[in-house]
Amino acid sequence: MDEKNQQGGTEAKEMDERNQQSKPEAIEPKEQAKQESYKATAQHRGVEYYGDAEDREEEEALERERQRLREERRERRKQKEAAKKAAQRRRLFLLLLFLCVVFVALFLFLRKGSPAQRGEEKTSSSVAERAPIEVYYVEDKGSTKGEELGTYLENAGENNASVNLHTLIYEEGKEEDLKQALKEAKAELLLGEGSEKLEAFLEKFSVEEKIPYLSQSSKKLEPGNNHFVLEKSLEDQAVDLGFFAYNEAFRKMGILLQEGDEKGKTLAEQLSESFPEYGGTVEIRTYKGEEDFQAKLSELEEAGIDLLFLPSPGEQEKALLSQEKAYNILLGKDWDQENFPGDLELPYPVYLYGRENKAFTLVEKEEESSDSSGEEAQKSSDLSGKEAQESSYSSGEEAQESSDSSGEEAQSGSRYDRDLLGILSKLRAEVKKKSLLQTLESMSYQGECGEYHFLPGEYCLKGQGQFYEFQGQEKRDLNP
């Protein structure tokens, strides 16, 4: 049996060997075909992907350019989106602002309440507005300006309700007593002009108590804080003086100054710039004493001046007015006082630059009326020097008559007084929650003397200069 099994195993093994020998012969053609196919595919792919090197570089360059363009488009898209969002935010902000304004307006409208309630509020506010301003006019001993202003206010009618005017006297050495009196009286506004020490005291007090101080004069070069000067700047005054002198046919002006008169010095320097623009020349001399005054005056006479300008009054200047001379004299604004010329004898004509100015609106009206005069106005404008002056005199009789009638003018007050009351009335009407000082700093006023703009530490007035001629005690208006 073992032999049979062994023989059977040997036969099976021989059969397997025959099968293995016959199998490679059957499979070999298929494997060969497959291998040839793989070789063909590999050769094809090598041709497709690894072709010419130049074509590959060109393709890579094109791909990089496409990538760059895509990045640029992406960046532009981001910028547009950012701009769009910013515009949307602005529109949203404006919309919110508009809604807030509408809400506030609606709130204020509803808060006013009924017409009856609004009427009650208006009545109560008008009652509060009727409270007059406590004004204190401080003047040097012997001055009568405060009394004159008080008399004018008493006759001013309804406008008098704007002001309670009080007068106090300034005496050197008693400043503390005066300061205490002003504090106890609760002064709201200061008026006054006069000596340099008086104006310096009022300036200092106005700063300490933070209240406005109004005057028509500044003894210093420039007014100080809270000091509002109802006057023109030195530059504008120089323009007025130069224009007047040239139109009166003067071509060489001499200016005689007291040493230490800084305000007069600055005005003279401004004149030395403005008068030559019209075609004239200026000679300036400064003197120290009486002897030096005569020496400097002789220098100006030798220079051939035809007009002498004296900015400030002094003993030597007053004495000069009554002396014989070969030139005309023009006096500055500081000479324009209530009692001028007083006891001074004026045997020769003297010109005066008035402290008052003429409003621009009045000038425009007069220019319109002068246009209707036709050939007569043209003829007078063609004249020069004294002929033009005589022509203006012949056409200005009505103005002369009105200026000579002192009765009604004294009752109605000067232009300065009328403007001052108008300023105080407007100030009282506009002041609400702010102080008088804050209200005044933002206010302007059109008066008879011109337009006022209230800037601390500056001159307030704009307008046309006023000039007069004195001979003896007679005063003649030279304004057109």
Side-chain angles (χ1 to χ4, degrees):
M1 186 170 179
D2 291 334
E3 291 178 358
K4 290 181 179 180
N5 290 336
Q6 186 175 3
Q7 186 178 0
T10 300
E11 293 177 356
K13 185 175 181 181
E14 291 176 355
M15 187 176 294
D16 290 335
E17 289 177 358
R18 286 194 299 270
N19 290 336
Q20 287 178 0
Q21 290 176 359
S22 61
K23 184 175 181 181
E25 293 178 359
I27 296 176
E28 184 176 355
K30 294 182 179 179
E31 289 295 333
Q32 187 177 1
K34 185 183 294 185
Q35 289 175 3
E36 291 178 357
S37 176
Y38 286 157
K39 290 180 181 181
T41 303
Q43 185 179 2
H44 175 73
R45 287 179 179 176
V47 173
E48 180 179 356
Y49 292 103
Y50 305 103
D52 188 77
E54 294 180 359
D55 293 340
R56 288 200 307 273
E57 290 178 0
E58 184 178 357
E59 182 66 26
E60 290 174 359
L62 292 174
E63 182 62 26
R64 287 195 299 270
E65 182 66 16
R66 284 192 293 269
Q67 183 64 23
R68 185 185 65 81
L69 293 175
R70 282 194 295 268
E71 291 177 355
E72 288 183 356
R73 285 195 296 270
R74 190 180 301 111
E75 186 65 25
R76 285 196 296 269
R77 187 161 51 249
K78 289 181 180 179
Q79 293 177 355
K80 288 181 179 179
E81 290 177 356
K84 185 177 180 181
K85 289 181 180 179
Q88 290 175 348
R89 286 195 296 269
R90 284 196 298 269
R91 287 195 294 270
L92 180 60
F93 173 76
L94 293 175
L95 178 61
L96 292 175
L97 181 62
F98 173 74
L99 292 176
C100 290
V101 172
V102 172
F103 176 76
V104 172
L106 182 61
F107 174 76
L108 294 176
F109 176 78
L110 295 176
R111 190 179 179 184
K112 289 183 178 180
S114 64
Q117 292 174 341
R118 291 198 296 272
E120 291 175 0
E121 291 179 1
K122 184 176 180 180
T123 302
S124 62
S125 63
S126 62
V127 170
E129 289 175 358
R130 281 201 298 269
I133 301 174
E134 298 297 328
V135 178
Y136 279 77
Y137 192 97
V138 183
E139 58 187 343
D140 291 309
K141 190 174 182 179
S143 173
T144 60
K145 179 61 180 176
E147 182 181 353
E148 294 170 359
L149 183 59
T151 302
Y152 165 63
L153 291 177
E154 289 178 359
N155 299 325
E158 296 180 359
N159 288 332
N160 186 29
S162 302
V163 179
N164 278 339
L165 182 66
H166 312 274
T167 303
L168 293 175
I169 302 300
Y170 170 81
E171 295 184 60
E172 189 176 351
K174 297 183 178 180
E175 287 85 357
E176 290 300 322
D177 295 338
L178 180 58
K179 185 185 296 185
Q180 188 64 29
L182 290 170
K183 287 182 178 179
E184 293 177 356
K186 297 181 179 180
E188 297 180 277
L189 187 142
L190 301 175
L191 298 176
E193 55 206 50
S195 66
E196 185 173 350
K197 291 183 178 180
L198 165 63
E199 294 186 9
F201 167 79
L202 292 175
E203 278 189 3
K204 183 179 179 181
F205 186 79
S206 69
V207 173
E208 291 176 353
E209 299 300 316
K210 297 181 180 179
I211 60 177
Y213 164 39
L214 303 180
S215 77
Q216 203 186 21
S217 171
S218 177
K219 296 297 182 181
K220 302 189 306 178
L221 181 62
E222 294 291 345
N225 293 332
N226 301 351
H227 183 189
F228 303 87
V229 180
L230 309 181
E231 181 55 271
K232 304 180 75 171
S233 68
L234 298 180
E235 182 180 1
D236 289 343
Q237 292 183 42
V239 172
D240 288 345
L241 290 164
F243 185 75
F244 170 80
Y246 188 82
N247 283 344
E248 292 295 320
F250 299 115
R251 296 296 180 266
K252 194 160 190 178
M253 179 189 301
I255 304 177
L256 196 55
L257 299 171
Q258 301 177 19
E259 188 178 51
D261 184 5
E262 295 298 326
K263 183 177 177 181
K265 179 182 177 182
T266 303
L267 180 58
E269 292 172 350
Q270 295 284 351
L271 261 171
S272 66
E273 295 179 4
S274 64
F275 191 43
E277 292 180 358
Y278 299 112
T281 59
V282 176
E283 295 283 340
I284 302 175
R285 298 291 186 277
T286 303
Y287 70 92
K288 297 180 180 180
E290 183 177 357
E291 294 183 0
D292 195 32
F293 176 87
Q294 294 298 331
K296 299 300 182 182
L297 181 60
S298 297
E299 291 181 9
L300 292 175
E301 291 174 348
E302 291 175 0
I305 63 171
D306 53 9
L307 179 67
L308 176 65
F309 176 56
L310 302 175
S312 304
E315 295 301 322
Q316 288 80 12
E317 286 84 354
K318 291 179 181 178
L320 180 63
L321 297 181
S322 58
Q323 298 176 9
E324 183 178 358
K325 48 197 173 299
Y327 48 82
N328 288 275
I329 292 181
L330 172 62
L331 305 178
K333 284 179 175 286
D334 289 343
W335 290 81
D336 190 8
Q337 304 292 336
E338 297 290 339
N339 58 351
F340 183 82
D343 298 332
L344 292 175
E345 296 182 2
L346 303 175
Y348 304 98
V350 174
Y351 299 107
L352 176 67
Y353 182 27
R355 298 182 72 189
E356 297 177 343
N357 298 282
K358 183 170 290 185
F360 287 128
T361 52
L362 298 179
V363 174
E364 292 174 358
K365 291 181 181 178
E366 291 184 359
E367 286 178 351
E368 292 175 1
S369 63
S370 64
D371 290 341
S372 63
S373 61
E375 296 180 357
E376 182 178 354
Q378 180 64 33
K379 187 182 297 183
S380 63
S381 65
D382 292 337
L383 297 176
S384 61
K386 297 299 181 180
E387 293 179 356
Q389 180 178 334
E390 293 172 1
S391 177
S392 63
Y393 290 161
S394 64
S395 62
E397 294 180 356
E398 293 182 1
Q400 178 62 32
E401 292 176 359
S402 62
S403 64
D404 291 337
S405 58
S406 58
E408 294 180 1
E409 183 67 21
Q411 293 180 359
S412 61
S414 65
R415 288 187 176 187
Y416 168 66
D417 293 338
R418 293 196 293 272
D419 279 359
L420 177 61
L421 181 57
I423 291 167
L424 295 177
S425 299
K426 184 175 182 180
L427 178 61
R428 172 177 166 268
E430 291 191 358
V431 66
K432 294 179 181 178
K433 294 182 179 180
K434 294 182 180 180
S435 66
L436 285 177
L437 181 59
Q438 291 173 329
T439 305
L440 189 64
E441 290 177 352
S442 60
M443 195 178 84
S444 61
Y445 177 77
Q446 178 64 57
E448 294 187 30
C449 293
E451 185 175 0
Y452 298 84
H453 295 274
F454 300 93
L455 300 174
E458 295 191 16
Y459 295 87
C460 302
L461 184 62
K462 300 289 183 180
Q464 182 187 22
Q466 297 276 94
F467 290 88
Y468 306 92
E469 182 183 39
F470 282 88
Q471 186 165 7
Q473 298 295 319
E474 296 182 2
K475 180 180 180 181
R476 177 179 293 179
D477 189 350
L478 299 181
N479 305 288

